[in-house]
Amino acid sequence: MTQDPVDKIDQEIRDWEIASRRAKIVESVIRRPRPMRPHVEQAASEQDVSTAMIYRWIAAYTKQPEVKTLLPKRRGPALGSPRLEPEAEDIVSEVIRTYYTEHPNIKFSKLYGKICDKCRRRGISPVPSKATITRRAKAISLELKNKLKHGPKKGKHLSTPVKKPYSADYPMQIVQFDHTLCDVFIVDNFDRSALIRPWITLAIDIYSRCIVGYYAGLDSPSSTTVAMAVANTVLPKQDTLSRLGIDQELTWPCHGRYMDGHHDNAKEFRGKALKLGCVQNGINLIFRPRGKPHFGGHIERLIGTMMGEVHLLPGTTFSNVQDRGEYPSEARATLSFDEFEKWLVLQIIIYNNKIHRSISQPPISKFLEHDSSKETLRNVPKDHFKFFVSFLPYESRTLRREGIEIFKTFYRSDALYSPRTPIGSEIMVRYDPRDISKLYYVSPDGEIHDIPRVHSGRPKISLFEHKATLEALKKKGLKQIDEVTIYRAIEEQTELLSKASKLTKSMRVKAAKLGVRQDQLGRYQPKAEQSTSNNEQPDLCSEQPRPINLLDVEEW
């Protein structure tokens, strides 16, 4: 029968009390004048032990004068020593190691059954008890268990303690970004049939745990996704809430230029456009150390929390096939992309106003209560549009008499030509991949100019459509592909996609992506008119909204 934990503690206290008494006896004996024999005999008589025992105490204490050397020793085998026959011990060890490597989710009863079966085959009797097998399984170190289950790299990571938590001292000091493919299907706006799963990018403030920015779309993460998320993080959210038709009483007062942006090592975060935009706007880039995923723990846990809410939506795919079971995700899908985006922003507002277990208050309260929050909320770019453009991808091209050529298309504007940029000079232009009908050129004096296509009558297209068209034309065997051929093929595709609701699902998905991209050009891209002068800049924190009082507790 195993002892209760309280009994073990009481026993340990009694053992230390005995050792303390023994130490006092030994000290009293060795401090008395010689000869020692009469004093040893007197102590043995008083303690009802043999003189040999007193001499053993004296020898041990003299060698190491600490109370713990006189702790009473238990009779019987040493604690933890094996009592099984060597052959049975080998079987138990072999089966347990196989259990952790090949069948990490096997039930203990099956493990015990396999051990008993092997023992009977080899004629070992009696077979080890369940209690013995349990102790052997628990005796394996955590690091070894994790290495056997998950491999050496991940096993070492899971078993290594985090020495110092990743933290910040004030709002918008460190902001973590990451993407995820949402576990829910969205539907077509026209016939409400299921399409695909949307992508979202989230940004979390490490200090307050507030969600300070987001981006939602149907295309995979890219440099543009990052630019949109950064712009949404830094700029005020009033326009976003108004566009989505969210009640004016629901606020999201988290904005301002952040100091450090923390990212993983995905290629969209390693791009030169993001590096240049951060340098130009005084933002430091921090990349998660390779092989150290716990450095992104805040954003990873946030994404897990948000996906937990997504799993309550109709049309969810859940986290895996086992959780999904026979749930008909596509058949149950009901939210369009616009509806999903509105739900996402509302969920962000709810999250920011919930009590967070690790900080014992709503994140929005911690964000607004800090002494630097007013200054943070005022620290927004004067020119919103220029800030947005600074994070767009860029290309360097030679300025020719016809303009510049990029994407097999010519672009031209008088703003390109100046004494400082003569014909033949290298100039840098930026572009929005969602609409490559124009480029953006930042002149030497800092002004942003739109550079339209030479043939302005052609339709607006995205870079995604442009690349897809090139691939399609190459598959047809066309070796020389010019601007005319590309746009003729795109016009045919556009006409085909306009009838996509009656065609295949893949065609409807392409049509939906096209519609979302075109719609986002007006929804996400800050307009140049939004910038304000120094005298007209509003006080974005003069009236700090009170956080919504919700009783739910968010636990990480």
PDB file of all heavy atoms in Angstrom, residues 37-67:
ATOM      1  N   ARG A  37      36.205   6.020  25.391  1.00  0.00           N
ATOM      2  CA  ARG A  37      35.419   4.787  25.585  1.00  0.00           C
ATOM      3  C   ARG A  37      34.319   4.941  26.640  1.00  0.00           C
ATOM      4  O   ARG A  37      33.166   4.582  26.368  1.00  0.00           O
ATOM      5  CB  ARG A  37      36.361   3.642  25.976  1.00  0.00           C
ATOM      6  CG  ARG A  37      35.675   2.302  26.202  1.00  0.00           C
ATOM      7  CD  ARG A  37      35.214   1.702  24.893  1.00  0.00           C
ATOM      8  NE  ARG A  37      34.503   0.445  25.110  1.00  0.00           N
ATOM      9  CZ  ARG A  37      34.077  -0.354  24.115  1.00  0.00           C
ATOM     10  NH1 ARG A  37      34.279   0.015  22.866  1.00  0.00           N
ATOM     11  NH2 ARG A  37      33.466  -1.467  24.374  1.00  0.00           N
ATOM     12  N   PRO A  38      34.610   5.492  27.839  1.00  0.00           N
ATOM     13  CA  PRO A  38      33.533   5.606  28.840  1.00  0.00           C
ATOM     14  C   PRO A  38      32.371   6.478  28.356  1.00  0.00           C
ATOM     15  O   PRO A  38      31.204   6.169  28.623  1.00  0.00           O
ATOM     16  CB  PRO A  38      34.234   6.242  30.035  1.00  0.00           C
ATOM     17  CG  PRO A  38      35.654   5.925  29.863  1.00  0.00           C
ATOM     18  CD  PRO A  38      35.901   5.911  28.384  1.00  0.00           C
ATOM     19  N   HIS A  39      32.678   7.523  27.620  1.00  0.00           N
ATOM     20  CA  HIS A  39      31.615   8.411  27.126  1.00  0.00           C
ATOM     21  C   HIS A  39      30.768   7.703  26.060  1.00  0.00           C
ATOM     22  O   HIS A  39      29.555   7.897  25.989  1.00  0.00           O
ATOM     23  CB  HIS A  39      32.221   9.690  26.555  1.00  0.00           C
ATOM     24  CG  HIS A  39      33.172  10.372  27.489  1.00  0.00           C
ATOM     25  ND1 HIS A  39      32.835  10.682  28.785  1.00  0.00           N
ATOM     26  CD2 HIS A  39      34.462  10.797  27.320  1.00  0.00           C
ATOM     27  CE1 HIS A  39      33.865  11.280  29.380  1.00  0.00           C
ATOM     28  NE2 HIS A  39      34.878  11.353  28.493  1.00  0.00           N
ATOM     29  N   VAL A  40      31.411   6.888  25.224  1.00  0.00           N
ATOM     30  CA  VAL A  40      30.677   6.134  24.194  1.00  0.00           C
ATOM     31  C   VAL A  40      29.745   5.131  24.850  1.00  0.00           C
ATOM     32  O   VAL A  40      28.578   4.984  24.444  1.00  0.00           O
ATOM     33  CB  VAL A  40      31.666   5.423  23.238  1.00  0.00           C
ATOM     34  CG1 VAL A  40      30.916   4.465  22.310  1.00  0.00           C
ATOM     35  CG2 VAL A  40      32.466   6.432  22.430  1.00  0.00           C
ATOM     36  N   GLU A  41      30.246   4.425  25.855  1.00  0.00           N
ATOM     37  CA  GLU A  41      29.407   3.432  26.544  1.00  0.00           C
ATOM     38  C   GLU A  41      28.223   4.110  27.227  1.00  0.00           C
ATOM     39  O   GLU A  41      27.097   3.581  27.219  1.00  0.00           O
ATOM     40  CB  GLU A  41      30.248   2.665  27.557  1.00  0.00           C
ATOM     41  CG  GLU A  41      31.292   1.743  26.924  1.00  0.00           C
ATOM     42  CD  GLU A  41      32.157   1.067  27.953  1.00  0.00           C
ATOM     43  OE1 GLU A  41      32.095   1.476  29.153  1.00  0.00           O
ATOM     44  OE2 GLU A  41      32.910   0.119  27.584  1.00  0.00           O
ATOM     45  N   GLN A  42      28.474   5.279  27.838  1.00  0.00           N
ATOM     46  CA  GLN A  42      27.376   5.998  28.495  1.00  0.00           C
ATOM     47  C   GLN A  42      26.324   6.425  27.475  1.00  0.00           C
ATOM     48  O   GLN A  42      25.122   6.256  27.712  1.00  0.00           O
ATOM     49  CB  GLN A  42      27.925   7.223  29.229  1.00  0.00           C
ATOM     50  CG  GLN A  42      26.834   8.017  29.966  1.00  0.00           C
ATOM     51  CD  GLN A  42      27.382   9.266  30.622  1.00  0.00           C
ATOM     52  OE1 GLN A  42      28.606   9.478  30.658  1.00  0.00           O
ATOM     53  NE2 GLN A  42      26.507  10.084  31.157  1.00  0.00           N
ATOM     54  N   ALA A  43      26.747   6.941  26.305  1.00  0.00           N
ATOM     55  CA  ALA A  43      25.807   7.370  25.259  1.00  0.00           C
ATOM     56  C   ALA A  43      25.031   6.180  24.705  1.00  0.00           C
ATOM     57  O   ALA A  43      23.823   6.270  24.457  1.00  0.00           O
ATOM     58  CB  ALA A  43      26.563   8.083  24.137  1.00  0.00           C
ATOM     59  N   ALA A  44      25.720   5.033  24.527  1.00  0.00           N
ATOM     60  CA  ALA A  44      25.044   3.839  24.008  1.00  0.00           C
ATOM     61  C   ALA A  44      23.981   3.365  24.969  1.00  0.00           C
ATOM     62  O   ALA A  44      22.884   2.936  24.566  1.00  0.00           O
ATOM     63  CB  ALA A  44      26.079   2.747  23.750  1.00  0.00           C
ATOM     64  N   SER A  45      24.303   3.434  26.281  1.00  0.00           N
ATOM     65  CA  SER A  45      23.332   3.008  27.290  1.00  0.00           C
ATOM     66  C   SER A  45      22.120   3.934  27.297  1.00  0.00           C
ATOM     67  O   SER A  45      20.971   3.476  27.398  1.00  0.00           O
ATOM     68  CB  SER A  45      24.000   2.986  28.663  1.00  0.00           C
ATOM     69  OG  SER A  45      23.052   2.673  29.679  1.00  0.00           O
ATOM     70  N   GLU A  46      22.343   5.237  27.170  1.00  0.00           N
ATOM     71  CA  GLU A  46      21.227   6.191  27.202  1.00  0.00           C
ATOM     72  C   GLU A  46      20.335   6.066  25.956  1.00  0.00           C
ATOM     73  O   GLU A  46      19.115   6.249  26.038  1.00  0.00           O
ATOM     74  CB  GLU A  46      21.775   7.607  27.304  1.00  0.00           C
ATOM     75  CG  GLU A  46      22.447   7.921  28.645  1.00  0.00           C
ATOM     76  CD  GLU A  46      23.102   9.284  28.660  1.00  0.00           C
ATOM     77  OE1 GLU A  46      23.134   9.929  27.568  1.00  0.00           O
ATOM     78  OE2 GLU A  46      23.597   9.713  29.732  1.00  0.00           O
ATOM     79  N   GLN A  47      20.951   5.753  24.820  1.00  0.00           N
ATOM     80  CA  GLN A  47      20.177   5.671  23.564  1.00  0.00           C
ATOM     81  C   GLN A  47      19.715   4.253  23.250  1.00  0.00           C
ATOM     82  O   GLN A  47      19.035   4.054  22.241  1.00  0.00           O
ATOM     83  CB  GLN A  47      21.045   6.202  22.397  1.00  0.00           C
ATOM     84  CG  GLN A  47      21.464   7.644  22.537  1.00  0.00           C
ATOM     85  CD  GLN A  47      20.282   8.596  22.591  1.00  0.00           C
ATOM     86  OE1 GLN A  47      19.299   8.421  21.864  1.00  0.00           O
ATOM     87  NE2 GLN A  47      20.348   9.574  23.496  1.00  0.00           N
ATOM     88  N   ASP A  48      20.101   3.305  24.101  1.00  0.00           N
ATOM     89  CA  ASP A  48      19.693   1.917  23.903  1.00  0.00           C
ATOM     90  C   ASP A  48      20.179   1.383  22.554  1.00  0.00           C
ATOM     91  O   ASP A  48      19.431   0.739  21.804  1.00  0.00           O
ATOM     92  CB  ASP A  48      18.168   1.780  24.020  1.00  0.00           C
ATOM     93  CG  ASP A  48      17.748   0.329  24.213  1.00  0.00           C
ATOM     94  OD1 ASP A  48      18.606  -0.478  24.652  1.00  0.00           O
ATOM     95  OD2 ASP A  48      16.581   0.016  23.917  1.00  0.00           O
ATOM     96  N   VAL A  49      21.422   1.675  22.229  1.00  0.00           N
ATOM     97  CA  VAL A  49      22.046   1.143  21.016  1.00  0.00           C
ATOM     98  C   VAL A  49      23.393   0.573  21.408  1.00  0.00           C
ATOM     99  O   VAL A  49      23.889   0.781  22.522  1.00  0.00           O
ATOM    100  CB  VAL A  49      22.224   2.232  19.931  1.00  0.00           C
ATOM    101  CG1 VAL A  49      20.881   2.741  19.442  1.00  0.00           C
ATOM    102  CG2 VAL A  49      23.078   3.385  20.442  1.00  0.00           C
ATOM    103  N   SER A  50      24.064  -0.134  20.513  1.00  0.00           N
ATOM    104  CA  SER A  50      25.376  -0.713  20.797  1.00  0.00           C
ATOM    105  C   SER A  50      26.451   0.349  20.719  1.00  0.00           C
ATOM    106  O   SER A  50      26.295   1.391  20.087  1.00  0.00           O
ATOM    107  CB  SER A  50      25.671  -1.837  19.800  1.00  0.00           C
ATOM    108  OG  SER A  50      25.797  -1.296  18.498  1.00  0.00           O
ATOM    109  N   THR A  51      27.573   0.044  21.395  1.00  0.00           N
ATOM    110  CA  THR A  51      28.712   0.973  21.310  1.00  0.00           C
ATOM    111  C   THR A  51      29.238   1.051  19.875  1.00  0.00           C
ATOM    112  O   THR A  51      29.736   2.104  19.445  1.00  0.00           O
ATOM    113  CB  THR A  51      29.836   0.511  22.252  1.00  0.00           C
ATOM    114  OG1 THR A  51      30.196  -0.834  21.933  1.00  0.00           O
ATOM    115  CG2 THR A  51      29.395   0.593  23.708  1.00  0.00           C
ATOM    116  N   ALA A  52      29.122  -0.042  19.133  1.00  0.00           N
ATOM    117  CA  ALA A  52      29.570  -0.036  17.729  1.00  0.00           C
ATOM    118  C   ALA A  52      28.782   0.985  16.914  1.00  0.00           C
ATOM    119  O   ALA A  52      29.331   1.664  16.034  1.00  0.00           O
ATOM    120  CB  ALA A  52      29.431  -1.432  17.137  1.00  0.00           C
ATOM    121  N   MET A  53      27.481   1.105  17.215  1.00  0.00           N
ATOM    122  CA  MET A  53      26.651   2.071  16.501  1.00  0.00           C
ATOM    123  C   MET A  53      27.116   3.500  16.785  1.00  0.00           C
ATOM    124  O   MET A  53      27.211   4.337  15.872  1.00  0.00           O
ATOM    125  CB  MET A  53      25.191   1.891  16.900  1.00  0.00           C
ATOM    126  CG  MET A  53      24.248   2.875  16.216  1.00  0.00           C
ATOM    127  SD  MET A  53      24.173   2.630  14.422  1.00  0.00           S
ATOM    128  CE  MET A  53      23.234   1.103  14.347  1.00  0.00           C
ATOM    129  N   ILE A  54      27.463   3.790  18.060  1.00  0.00           N
ATOM    130  CA  ILE A  54      27.938   5.133  18.403  1.00  0.00           C
ATOM    131  C   ILE A  54      29.234   5.432  17.664  1.00  0.00           C
ATOM    132  O   ILE A  54      29.429   6.535  17.128  1.00  0.00           O
ATOM    133  CB  ILE A  54      28.140   5.269  19.927  1.00  0.00           C
ATOM    134  CG1 ILE A  54      26.814   5.021  20.673  1.00  0.00           C
ATOM    135  CG2 ILE A  54      28.701   6.648  20.277  1.00  0.00           C
ATOM    136  CD1 ILE A  54      25.749   6.037  20.385  1.00  0.00           C
ATOM    137  N   TYR A  55      30.138   4.425  17.599  1.00  0.00           N
ATOM    138  CA  TYR A  55      31.390   4.632  16.886  1.00  0.00           C
ATOM    139  C   TYR A  55      31.148   4.889  15.384  1.00  0.00           C
ATOM    140  O   TYR A  55      31.868   5.682  14.753  1.00  0.00           O
ATOM    141  CB  TYR A  55      32.312   3.421  17.082  1.00  0.00           C
ATOM    142  CG  TYR A  55      33.076   3.462  18.383  1.00  0.00           C
ATOM    143  CD1 TYR A  55      32.878   2.485  19.353  1.00  0.00           C
ATOM    144  CD2 TYR A  55      33.993   4.480  18.630  1.00  0.00           C
ATOM    145  CE1 TYR A  55      33.581   2.512  20.565  1.00  0.00           C
ATOM    146  CE2 TYR A  55      34.699   4.518  19.836  1.00  0.00           C
ATOM    147  CZ  TYR A  55      34.488   3.544  20.796  1.00  0.00           C
ATOM    148  OH  TYR A  55      35.185   3.582  21.982  1.00  0.00           O
ATOM    149  N   ARG A  56      30.137   4.203  14.816  1.00  0.00           N
ATOM    150  CA  ARG A  56      29.828   4.433  13.392  1.00  0.00           C
ATOM    151  C   ARG A  56      29.324   5.854  13.181  1.00  0.00           C
ATOM    152  O   ARG A  56      29.650   6.508  12.195  1.00  0.00           O
ATOM    153  CB  ARG A  56      28.802   3.405  12.900  1.00  0.00           C
ATOM    154  CG  ARG A  56      29.394   2.033  12.617  1.00  0.00           C
ATOM    155  CD  ARG A  56      28.461   1.183  11.765  1.00  0.00           C
ATOM    156  NE  ARG A  56      27.268   0.792  12.499  1.00  0.00           N
ATOM    157  CZ  ARG A  56      27.140  -0.322  13.204  1.00  0.00           C
ATOM    158  NH1 ARG A  56      28.181  -1.144  13.308  1.00  0.00           N
ATOM    159  NH2 ARG A  56      26.016  -0.610  13.819  1.00  0.00           N
ATOM    160  N   TRP A  57      28.492   6.328  14.117  1.00  0.00           N
ATOM    161  CA  TRP A  57      28.011   7.721  14.007  1.00  0.00           C
ATOM    162  C   TRP A  57      29.175   8.702  14.074  1.00  0.00           C
ATOM    163  O   TRP A  57      29.238   9.659  13.306  1.00  0.00           O
ATOM    164  CB  TRP A  57      27.036   8.023  15.158  1.00  0.00           C
ATOM    165  CG  TRP A  57      25.728   7.267  15.086  1.00  0.00           C
ATOM    166  CD1 TRP A  57      25.283   6.496  14.069  1.00  0.00           C
ATOM    167  CD2 TRP A  57      24.736   7.216  16.100  1.00  0.00           C
ATOM    168  NE1 TRP A  57      24.057   5.956  14.354  1.00  0.00           N
ATOM    169  CE2 TRP A  57      23.688   6.398  15.613  1.00  0.00           C
ATOM    170  CE3 TRP A  57      24.618   7.762  17.383  1.00  0.00           C
ATOM    171  CZ2 TRP A  57      22.537   6.126  16.362  1.00  0.00           C
ATOM    172  CZ3 TRP A  57      23.463   7.507  18.120  1.00  0.00           C
ATOM    173  CH2 TRP A  57      22.442   6.698  17.623  1.00  0.00           C
ATOM    174  N   ILE A  58      30.107   8.437  15.007  1.00  0.00           N
ATOM    175  CA  ILE A  58      31.251   9.338  15.158  1.00  0.00           C
ATOM    176  C   ILE A  58      32.100   9.339  13.893  1.00  0.00           C
ATOM    177  O   ILE A  58      32.545  10.395  13.425  1.00  0.00           O
ATOM    178  CB  ILE A  58      32.095   8.909  16.381  1.00  0.00           C
ATOM    179  CG1 ILE A  58      31.302   9.147  17.674  1.00  0.00           C
ATOM    180  CG2 ILE A  58      33.413   9.688  16.430  1.00  0.00           C
ATOM    181  CD1 ILE A  58      31.985   8.592  18.916  1.00  0.00           C
ATOM    182  N   ALA A  59      32.328   8.176  13.317  1.00  0.00           N
ATOM    183  CA  ALA A  59      33.155   8.083  12.102  1.00  0.00           C
ATOM    184  C   ALA A  59      32.504   8.832  10.939  1.00  0.00           C
ATOM    185  O   ALA A  59      33.169   9.582  10.212  1.00  0.00           O
ATOM    186  CB  ALA A  59      33.380   6.609  11.742  1.00  0.00           C
ATOM    187  N   ALA A  60      31.193   8.618  10.753  1.00  0.00           N
ATOM    188  CA  ALA A  60      30.498   9.281   9.653  1.00  0.00           C
ATOM    189  C   ALA A  60      30.468  10.791   9.841  1.00  0.00           C
ATOM    190  O   ALA A  60      30.707  11.567   8.898  1.00  0.00           O
ATOM    191  CB  ALA A  60      29.079   8.723   9.530  1.00  0.00           C
ATOM    192  N   TYR A  61      30.196  11.236  11.063  1.00  0.00           N
ATOM    193  CA  TYR A  61      30.065  12.668  11.327  1.00  0.00           C
ATOM    194  C   TYR A  61      31.424  13.370  11.262  1.00  0.00           C
ATOM    195  O   TYR A  61      31.526  14.532  10.841  1.00  0.00           O
ATOM    196  CB  TYR A  61      29.427  12.884  12.692  1.00  0.00           C
ATOM    197  CG  TYR A  61      28.961  14.316  12.931  1.00  0.00           C
ATOM    198  CD1 TYR A  61      27.793  14.779  12.334  1.00  0.00           C
ATOM    199  CD2 TYR A  61      29.686  15.177  13.743  1.00  0.00           C
ATOM    200  CE1 TYR A  61      27.357  16.076  12.552  1.00  0.00           C
ATOM    201  CE2 TYR A  61      29.269  16.482  13.964  1.00  0.00           C
ATOM    202  CZ  TYR A  61      28.097  16.929  13.360  1.00  0.00           C
ATOM    203  OH  TYR A  61      27.658  18.225  13.556  1.00  0.00           O
ATOM    204  N   THR A  62      32.488  12.653  11.685  1.00  0.00           N
ATOM    205  CA  THR A  62      33.829  13.231  11.618  1.00  0.00           C
ATOM    206  C   THR A  62      34.268  13.405  10.167  1.00  0.00           C
ATOM    207  O   THR A  62      34.914  14.389   9.803  1.00  0.00           O
ATOM    208  CB  THR A  62      34.840  12.339  12.368  1.00  0.00           C
ATOM    209  OG1 THR A  62      34.408  12.166  13.724  1.00  0.00           O
ATOM    210  CG2 THR A  62      36.223  12.953  12.361  1.00  0.00           C
ATOM    211  N   LYS A  63      33.899  12.429   9.327  1.00  0.00           N
ATOM    212  CA  LYS A  63      34.270  12.497   7.916  1.00  0.00           C
ATOM    213  C   LYS A  63      33.493  13.598   7.193  1.00  0.00           C
ATOM    214  O   LYS A  63      34.045  14.307   6.346  1.00  0.00           O
ATOM    215  CB  LYS A  63      33.992  11.133   7.259  1.00  0.00           C
ATOM    216  CG  LYS A  63      34.444  11.060   5.814  1.00  0.00           C
ATOM    217  CD  LYS A  63      34.194   9.661   5.259  1.00  0.00           C
ATOM    218  CE  LYS A  63      34.656   9.559   3.811  1.00  0.00           C
ATOM    219  NZ  LYS A  63      34.416   8.204   3.259  1.00  0.00           N
ATOM    220  N   GLN A  64      32.210  13.754   7.502  1.00  0.00           N
ATOM    221  CA  GLN A  64      31.375  14.798   6.880  1.00  0.00           C
ATOM    222  C   GLN A  64      30.482  15.390   7.954  1.00  0.00           C
ATOM    223  O   GLN A  64      29.396  14.872   8.225  1.00  0.00           O
ATOM    224  CB  GLN A  64      30.531  14.214   5.735  1.00  0.00           C
ATOM    225  CG  GLN A  64      29.775  15.281   4.947  1.00  0.00           C
ATOM    226  CD  GLN A  64      29.003  14.673   3.763  1.00  0.00           C
ATOM    227  OE1 GLN A  64      29.107  13.472   3.514  1.00  0.00           O
ATOM    228  NE2 GLN A  64      28.254  15.510   3.068  1.00  0.00           N
ATOM    229  N   PRO A  65      30.904  16.465   8.593  1.00  0.00           N
ATOM    230  CA  PRO A  65      30.167  17.012   9.743  1.00  0.00           C
ATOM    231  C   PRO A  65      28.874  17.726   9.358  1.00  0.00           C
ATOM    232  O   PRO A  65      28.758  18.949   9.471  1.00  0.00           O
ATOM    233  CB  PRO A  65      31.190  17.978  10.369  1.00  0.00           C
ATOM    234  CG  PRO A  65      32.056  18.390   9.251  1.00  0.00           C
ATOM    235  CD  PRO A  65      32.138  17.221   8.318  1.00  0.00           C
ATOM    236  N   GLU A  66      27.907  16.963   8.855  1.00  0.00           N
ATOM    237  CA  GLU A  66      26.596  17.493   8.485  1.00  0.00           C
ATOM    238  C   GLU A  66      25.527  16.579   9.070  1.00  0.00           C
ATOM    239  O   GLU A  66      25.727  15.359   9.178  1.00  0.00           O
ATOM    240  CB  GLU A  66      26.439  17.584   6.976  1.00  0.00           C
ATOM    241  CG  GLU A  66      27.399  18.560   6.304  1.00  0.00           C
ATOM    242  CD  GLU A  66      27.192  18.607   4.806  1.00  0.00           C
ATOM    243  OE1 GLU A  66      26.213  17.980   4.332  1.00  0.00           O
ATOM    244  OE2 GLU A  66      28.001  19.253   4.112  1.00  0.00           O
ATOM    245  N   VAL A  67      24.398  17.166   9.417  1.00  0.00           N
ATOM    246  CA  VAL A  67      23.315  16.393  10.033  1.00  0.00           C
ATOM    247  C   VAL A  67      22.822  15.293   9.097  1.00  0.00           C
ATOM    248  O   VAL A  67      22.483  14.183   9.538  1.00  0.00           O
ATOM    249  CB  VAL A  67      22.159  17.335  10.443  1.00  0.00           C
ATOM    250  CG1 VAL A  67      20.966  16.538  10.977  1.00  0.00           C
ATOM    251  CG2 VAL A  67      22.633  18.346  11.476  1.00  0.00           C
TER     252      VAL A  67
END
